[in-house]
Amino acid sequence: MAELARDSALDAARKALPADSLLKLRATAADTIELHVEGVFRALVECNTGDEFVLVRLAICESGNAMLLGASQPASSHVFGDITARGQRLIARLDAVPAAQRLPVLSCWLSSYHNLFTAPCTHCGRFLPATAASAASLLPPTVGCPGGR
C-alpha cells in the first residue's frame, strides 16, 4: 500500500514538471525518493506513506556525492545548505496542500534550480561558478524563481 502511494506521487510529480525539465525522479527505497539533475544536484526526500503521503525531510548535495545518511545527510556546502533549508520550509508549508500535490509542488520547485550554475543572477548579472558548490565560504543567492524560466 505504501509503495502504491509513493509510485502514484512519483507519477504525479513527473507529469507536473515542465517539458524541458532536466529533473529525474526515482524511488530508492519504500520511504525515499531521489530527485537528480546531472551535474547540478542530487536530492533525497524522505516520505511517510502511512495513512497519507507526507514529505518528512529533504537533503541536497552535489550531483556526484554519495548520501550515506540518506535524507539526514548534512549539506556539503553553503549553497546546498541554503537550498536544503528553503526546501525544509517549503515541506513544512505543504501540510496545507492535498497529499497528492505535495511531491509535484516540491519537484517543480527543485526543478527551478536546474540552471543554478549556468544562468546569470537576475539582480547582478553574474554567474555562480560550478566550483562554488564545494566552496565552503560562499553563500550565493539561491532563490529559485520558476517564473523566470
Side-chain angles (χ1 to χ4, degrees), residues 17-25 35-38 40-41 111 114-115 118 149:
L17 288 172
D20 64 342
S21 176
L22 301 174
L23 187 72
K24 306 292 183 223
L25 294 99
L35 301 99
H36 187 220
V37 175
E38 188 62 44
V40 183
F41 69 83
S111 178
H114 76 278
N115 59 358
T118 58
R149 294 182 61 195

Side-chain angles (χ1 to χ4, degrees), residues 32-50:
T32 307
I33 297 172
E34 178 182 12
L35 301 99
H36 187 220
V37 175
E38 188 62 44
V40 183
F41 69 83
R42 178 176 176 217
L44 290 180
V45 179
E46 184 181 321
C47 311
N48 179 349
T49 53

Side-chain angles (χ1 to χ4, degrees), residues 91-140:
I91 286 173
R93 291 185 191 124
L94 288 177
D95 285 343
V97 174
Q101 295 175 8
R102 292 173 185 164
L103 186 60
V105 169
L106 180 66
S107 299
C108 288
W109 179 79
L110 278 172
S111 178
S112 71
Y113 287 102
H114 76 278
N115 59 358
L116 182 64
F117 303 113
T118 58
C121 173
T122 56
H123 297 285
C124 68
R126 295 186 303 181
F127 288 87
L128 179 64
T131 56
S134 57
S137 63
L138 184 64
L139 182 59

Side-chain angles (χ1 to χ4, degrees), residues 23-86:
L23 187 72
K24 306 292 183 223
L25 294 99
R26 72 182 181 103
T28 59
D31 65 344
T32 307
I33 297 172
E34 178 182 12
L35 301 99
H36 187 220
V37 175
E38 188 62 44
V40 183
F41 69 83
R42 178 176 176 217
L44 290 180
V45 179
E46 184 181 321
C47 311
N48 179 349
T49 53
D51 295 336
E52 187 177 71
F53 187 79
V54 178
L55 303 174
V56 177
R57 186 177 301 125
L58 171 72
I60 302 173
C61 71
E62 291 178 62
S63 180
N65 281 12
M67 296 181 78
L68 303 175
L69 299 176
S72 298
Q73 181 78 26
S76 58
S77 68
H78 289 300
V79 173
F80 295 115
D82 185 59
I83 297 171
T84 299
R86 292 171 191 272

